[in-house]
Amino acid sequence: MRVLLGIVTVGAALWSGYWFIGQNGVTSGFENWFEARRAEGWAAEYSALETQGFPNRFDSSFEFLVLADPDTGLAWEAPLFQILALSYKPNHVIAAFPNEQLVATPQDKFRVVAEDMRASVVTGADIRLPLERSTLTASKLSITPESTGEATDAEALRLAVERLATGQPTYRFGLAADGLSPALDWRVQLDPAGRLPDAFDALSADITVTFDKPWDRGAIEDARPQPRRIDIKLAEARWGRLELLVAGEVDVDSAGLPEGEIVVKARNWRDILQMAVSSGTLNQGFADTLESGLSLISQMAGNPETLDIPLNFSGGRVRIGPVPLGPAPVLRLR
């Protein structure tokens, strides 16, 4: 009995020593990371940093956190942010976000409010922390741009990403939003007659993307990985009587220009076309010409209300068959 008690006592002392050494290492690691970012010209500040959780956890809490990257113009402010990890499994962490935070881009500032926003992140056992899989969930989410003050809301949001075993930096992304309600000013612009419901019936996506390099700590510290191939298994949006289904594949060159074909299946496509005019995406004259051509295509297909539209991306332009629509979007991550 005395021997057993001695073994337990020694084991507890060793574990306690491991935890306190680990706690110091975790805290020092965060402090050094923030110092390195400041040396690169970032705004990287917090009012307090504390790591607790003895004996089985390393739970780090940041108060009044501010991060801003001058090269991209992206910034983030949070009154409280927590990174939670089991002390015996430090490569799997949970990030707990505050109920309110501020995200700034070169275009606008956004106030993000959520009742419960959390992320789970699993990385590889490497000093660069390569991403293996991650999930982000949020409920009662509201995003309000400072410029308009009109919020986009969602009852629930789920985003998942997993690296695929392809030998390349290829990741599968899944997105689902429940009860997504676009901002009022945007709804009025697209649907001035108010015929559509306030919220989408469904919004989801299943997309696989190959990047030029893996997502790891360098994606934050240095530069974002850039897409080189995008495979849209299925993206779906249903909003009242309107429905869009998207699938296809494109390759992306070093300038961010896509090459390939995306097929869009549209139900009640005339209403969608008119929404593009209302939003300023298309001018009325071009929309009338486009509607005439698409009407003929849909009648030949046997259903005048449903249309399969092949969007061809080539040479920096996007076309429907031989009909040019305009310049292709540039697909680059800041």
Side-chain angles (χ1 to χ4, degrees), residues 187-239:
R187 295 203 310 269
V188 169
Q189 183 180 21
L190 292 180
D191 181 33
R195 292 176 294 177
L196 294 172
D198 291 345
F200 279 71
D201 300 293
L203 182 66
S204 62
D206 182 359
I207 302 173
T208 299
V209 183
T210 298
F211 294 89
D212 60 355
K213 63 179 183 178
W215 282 88
D216 54 25
R217 60 185 294 179
I220 298 176
E221 299 173 357
D222 302 322
R224 258 52 72 196
Q226 298 301 323
R228 289 295 173 258
R229 182 171 179 82
I230 301 174
D231 180 1
I232 304 176
K233 304 294 185 184
L234 179 64
E236 178 185 14
R238 287 189 285 113
W239 190 15

Side-chain angles (χ1 to χ4, degrees), residues 34 37-38 40-45 66-70 76:
F34 274 79
R37 302 289 74 72
R38 287 192 289 268
E40 294 175 355
W42 286 43
E45 306 294 340
V66 176
L67 287 173
D69 181 358
W76 174 46

